[in-house]
Amino acid sequence: MQLPYFCFNMPKKVEIYKAEFIISAPNLIQCPKGDISEYAFIGRSNVGKSSLINMLTNRKDLAKTSSTPGKTQLINYYLINHDWYMVDLPGYGWAKVGKKQKQQWSKNVREYLLKRKSLTILFILVDIRLNPQDMDIEFINWAGEKEIPIALIFTKADKLSKNKVTGSVNGYKKHLKNFWEELPAIFISSSETRQGREEILEYISRINNMMSTIK
Ligand code: GTP
Ligand code: MG
């Protein structure tokens, strides 16, 4: 039997037609009014957060990138399609800053993560080339304990062969299953080849649609 055309769950093409820088906030108090959904990107310094935001928005220099870890130090807001925010967060594990600055950073980011009501999904980025690192696993588990909604994005997939990408993701999943009953959503990305762009944007779009039906 042939199904009517509306039964097919066609993937929705998501377009970003506008991406504007709004503010770099040093802390939660200075973040914009939290009246729209926001999707934040976090992960170790240099993992590729800012590059991913540029890739997703089709913009070369919207978020500042650097080969030197520690480029992003503030909570950076980008308004997408006049409708929702992408938030570029500073990376954790940046060795070159002093202890005091690190403590201040983690205090500000922690407060943002724990209290920002409009934070819809926290995307945690991990470098696909590395075995599960304690620092990432501890952070992922901490976010889980605090009931922060997360999704994982593996970055720099262009740097590995297809087989190694699969092996790395499977190894990661197996490791996470030691701590998680049900795994969060997982994406594989490359800012070089644009791998993962449609999947990530589609995921955000589905959640945005869900949120607007709840409101
Ligand atoms: P901080 O702001 O310092 O925390 O770093 P970040 O996570 O924002 O990383 P950023 O986007 O600045 O990228 C760090 C370096 O990795 C840069 O040299 C990028 O060009 C490179 N890079 C990022 N994503 C990819 C990727 O998908 N593939 C490859 N090959 N290089 C990437
Ligand atoms: Mg950055």
Side-chain angles (χ1 to χ4, degrees), residues 3-166:
L3 290 168
Y5 72 96
F6 53 80
C7 285
F8 294 108
N9 191 8
M10 293 287 283
K12 216 174 120 212
K13 187 118 177 95
V14 183
E15 253 337 303
I16 290 188
Y17 56 85
K18 184 96 183 150
E20 319 161 65
F21 168 73
I22 300 297
I23 195 173
S24 291
N27 51 39
L28 177 69
I29 305 165
Q30 291 177 61
C31 288
K33 206 161 66 163
D35 53 353
I36 54 178
S37 294
E38 62 195 59
Y39 296 83
F41 297 83
I42 201 166
R44 292 220 283 173
S45 276
N46 227 32
V47 69
K49 302 174 289 293
S50 304
S51 304
L52 182 73
I53 289 180
N54 290 336
M55 185 272 265
L56 293 174
T57 55
N58 269 334
R59 295 271 300 270
K60 242 174 106 192
D61 289 315
L62 184 66
K64 298 283 165 281
T65 65
S66 164
S67 53
T68 315
K71 178 71 185 169
T72 310
Q73 299 192 14
L74 298 162
I75 304 171
N76 298 293
Y77 276 85
Y78 303 97
L79 179 63
I80 311 298
N81 294 349
H82 308 287
D83 191 30
W84 51 278
Y85 289 122
M86 279 190 192
V87 182
D88 191 12
L89 293 170
Y92 49 78
W94 183 36
K96 282 192 190 140
V97 293
K99 202 172 161 195
K100 266 220 161 126
Q101 205 182 334
K102 253 192 213 166
Q103 281 171 349
Q104 193 55 46
W105 173 87
S106 59
K107 188 174 164 274
N108 289 343
V109 173
R110 247 175 104 95
E111 192 176 28
Y112 164 84
L113 294 174
L114 293 172
K115 297 193 184 156
R116 184 71 172 170
K117 292 205 171 71
S118 48
L119 174 61
T120 308
I121 297 286
L122 175 66
F123 287 105
I124 303 176
L125 277 58
V126 286
D127 188 324
I128 196 144
R129 295 169 298 175
L130 306 177
N131 289 326
Q133 304 284 298
D134 287 348
M135 197 186 279
D136 291 320
I137 299 296
E138 276 162 23
F139 184 79
I140 292 168
N141 289 347
W142 174 82
E145 273 162 31
K146 300 294 177 192
E147 298 184 353
I148 297 167
I150 64 161
L152 297 187
I153 301 182
F154 288 96
T155 62
K156 307 193 184 183
D158 57 284
K159 297 229 182 199
L160 291 183
S161 68
K162 261 193 182 162
N163 279 346
K164 288 209 167 134
V165 163
T166 311

